[in-house]
Amino acid sequence: MPSQRPEGPGAAGPEPAPGRFRPRRAFWRRRAVRAAAVITLLTLCGLVILALVRDQTGTEGFLVGLGLAVLPVPLLMAAFRWLDGVDPGPWRNLLFSFAWGAFAAALVAIIANTFATQWIATATADPAGAQSLGATVIAPVVEESTKATAVLLLFLFRRRDFTGLVDGIVFAAFTATGFAFTENILYLGSAFGEDRSMGSAGLASVTAATFFVRVVLSPFAHPLFTVLTGIGFGLAAMAPRRRRIRRFVLPSLGLALAMGLHALWNGSSSLFGPYGFYAVYGLFMVPVFGLVTWLAIWSRQRGLRTVAAELPAYAEAGWLPPAAPQALSSMRARTMARDFAHRTFGPQAAKAVVEYEASATTLAFLRHRARRGTAGPDFAGRERELLDRLWARGGTAGPALTFAARATGRVRVPPPYIDYDGYNPYRQY
């Protein structure tokens, strides 16, 4: 690394002025106040929805449902976090998404679905038809709208962390995972209560059948529905700011698709007969799941290609080591750099490499958005801030990334020339 800061991208940005006057914010606009309000709201929603679920399932059914419903949550969260591994966002956004889905969205959905179904049953004097209509039409509209609200809030108030397709998919998936978690408690707890009243147990029980359908066969059902909404918001985040129509139409289209697929899933048996569930599962759910999975992995790889394309400009200007762009565009090399820093210099060095990788990736995506016209007016200030972060950690991260780039073959190093003067019977003297 050079001893002085280079004249390159971001070098012309203004130095931070110490003691600069900062206008005093109104009380309700302070970050701590907003965070406390959100946490309080979600906590209250959680207490209410869990009390409602326990009231419907009983205490024993609630505990059984809770124990079974929590099983797929760590696996789903790990899968979606892996998808976000190129440019991982703050955990607070993901926890907010999960909590919104599990508490706020679930509470609004259970109240709205119950009220609408009862109103239709009273108006039509057809309880069975009202239940079918509620499951096929009302539930998809209400549930997908409430889950989409979390993605919308992050899109509006966390734009720095909501930059593309992967972010939309991950936020939507975490929200839907939380919603499915609470819903599974209700369904599994109710099934357990039914088994207790009928004296059923084992594999032939309603609890076992419900667990197989909701946790084993279709744990990705709710995330798959809501991910379609997340894709719409992700495409809107990538659109230029002047394309306001596209930024409105794409999320609305994604939400409509989510509602449609959800309605098809819920109404599969009533619309297509006793085997309709399996037909919809095989002909629609599996192909859509495969397509969305491919799109998510492709977007992840596209992020690595963006890093490889955007960072060389900063390396040429001297802000990054020459081998850093090649190392940062490989997840294997990133892991190797962290391990090398931990073994050689200790855990603090490994933490510095992690922060360096995150800042460099964010910088690459910021530059990419700037070239597309979607970075916003604060591009220069954010670029300078990220470059300062890289410079502060470059002394530790630079050697680790260079080692990783060479060890993984991202940068080819010619073998050293050795002048061997020992005995050689074939040498011509």
Side-chain angles (χ1 to χ4, degrees):
M1 297 290 289
S3 59
Q4 296 183 349
R5 297 191 177 195
E7 295 295 332
E15 291 290 342
R20 181 185 299 175
F21 171 75
R22 296 180 182 273
R24 191 169 185 176
R25 293 183 176 181
F27 177 78
W28 64 273
R29 297 189 64 182
R30 295 177 183 177
R31 181 176 299 180
V33 174
R34 290 185 173 185
V38 171
I39 293 173
T40 302
L41 173 64
L42 292 177
T43 301
L44 292 176
C45 290
L47 294 175
V48 173
I49 185 62
L50 293 179
L52 289 176
V53 172
R54 192 197 66 81
D55 183 65
Q56 294 190 28
T57 61
T59 302
E60 190 174 2
F62 175 81
L63 295 175
V64 171
L66 177 63
L68 295 176
V70 78
L71 294 178
V73 172
L75 298 177
L76 294 173
M77 295 177 70
F80 300 135
R81 186 60 175 176
W82 172 86
L83 184 62
D84 197 32
V86 176
D87 186 23
W91 265 104
R92 62 176 179 270
N93 294 335
L94 304 181
L95 294 178
F96 164 79
S97 300
F98 182 87
W100 183 277
F103 303 142
L107 177 61
V108 173
I110 193 172
I111 294 175
N113 289 341
T114 303
F115 174 80
T117 302
Q118 290 178 352
W119 182 84
I120 294 173
T122 303
T124 61
D126 183 11
Q131 290 290 338
S132 177
L133 184 63
T136 307
V137 178
I138 296 172
V141 173
V142 172
E143 294 175 8
E144 295 307 321
S145 298
T146 55
K147 288 184 287 181
T149 303
V151 187
L152 174 62
L153 292 174
L154 291 168
F155 183 80
L156 294 176
F157 298 105
R158 287 291 183 267
R159 287 294 286 118
R160 283 196 176 189
D161 303 325
F162 202 139
T163 58
L165 197 61
V166 171
D167 295 319
I169 292 174
V170 172
F171 292 150
F174 265 79
T175 305
T177 300
F179 185 91
F181 166 68
T182 301
E183 193 177 64
N184 283 342
I185 297 176
L186 176 61
Y187 279 93
L188 290 167
S190 301
F192 178 80
E194 184 177 347
D195 286 331
R196 289 294 300 271
S197 63
M198 297 174 57
S200 302
L203 296 178
S205 65
V206 179
T207 304
T210 305
F211 179 84
F212 176 76
V213 172
R214 298 191 63 87
V215 178
V216 178
L217 193 62
S218 58
F220 285 96
H222 270 288
L224 181 60
F225 306 147
T226 314
V227 157
L228 298 178
T229 304
I231 291 174
F233 277 101
L235 294 175
M238 298 167 60
R241 293 179 178 270
R242 62 182 181 273
R243 302 291 181 87
R244 295 185 178 181
I245 296 179
R246 183 185 302 179
R247 292 162 66 86
F248 173 79
V249 170
L250 291 174
S252 301
L253 179 60
L255 178 59
L257 292 174
M259 292 176 179
L261 187 61
H262 195 160
L264 180 65
W265 173 255
N266 283 6
S268 58
S269 297
S270 59
L271 294 175
F272 305 108
Y275 298 101
F277 170 82
Y278 302 101
V280 170
Y281 184 85
L283 298 178
F284 290 94
M285 296 293 290
V286 172
V288 172
F289 175 76
L291 180 62
V292 171
T293 302
W294 172 84
L295 179 62
I297 296 176
W298 176 84
S299 299
R300 188 178 190 268
Q301 294 301 117
R302 182 174 176 270
L304 293 174
R305 291 193 295 269
T306 299
V307 171
E310 300 294 347
L311 289 185
Y314 297 100
E316 292 176 3
W319 286 100
L320 281 73
Q326 286 75 23
L328 291 167
S329 60
S330 167
M331 298 305 294
R332 178 168 172 255
R334 289 187 180 198
T335 303
M336 188 173 292
R338 295 194 294 267
D339 293 343
F340 174 83
H342 189 276
R343 291 194 312 269
T344 308
F345 304 109
Q348 290 300 320
K351 180 181 178 181
V353 173
V354 171
E355 294 172 349
Y356 189 96
E357 293 173 349
S359 297
T361 305
T362 303
L363 178 63
F365 287 176
L366 178 65
R367 179 181 173 88
H368 181 69
R369 293 196 303 275
R371 292 198 297 104
R372 292 171 53 91
T374 61
D378 59 343
F379 165 73
R382 295 178 63 189
E383 181 191 41
R384 181 57 183 266
E385 178 185 354
L386 291 168
L387 288 171
D388 287 342
R389 292 181 186 177
L390 293 175
W391 189 266
R393 297 164 177 78
T396 301
L401 290 170
T402 301
F403 166 81
R406 292 176 176 177
T408 56
R410 309 286 293 181
V411 175
R412 297 192 178 277
V413 181
Y417 173 73
I418 301 177
D419 186 11
Y420 179 70
D421 292 329
Y423 171 73
N424 184 353
Y426 300 103
R427 178 180 292 175
Q428 299 294 327
Y429 292 96

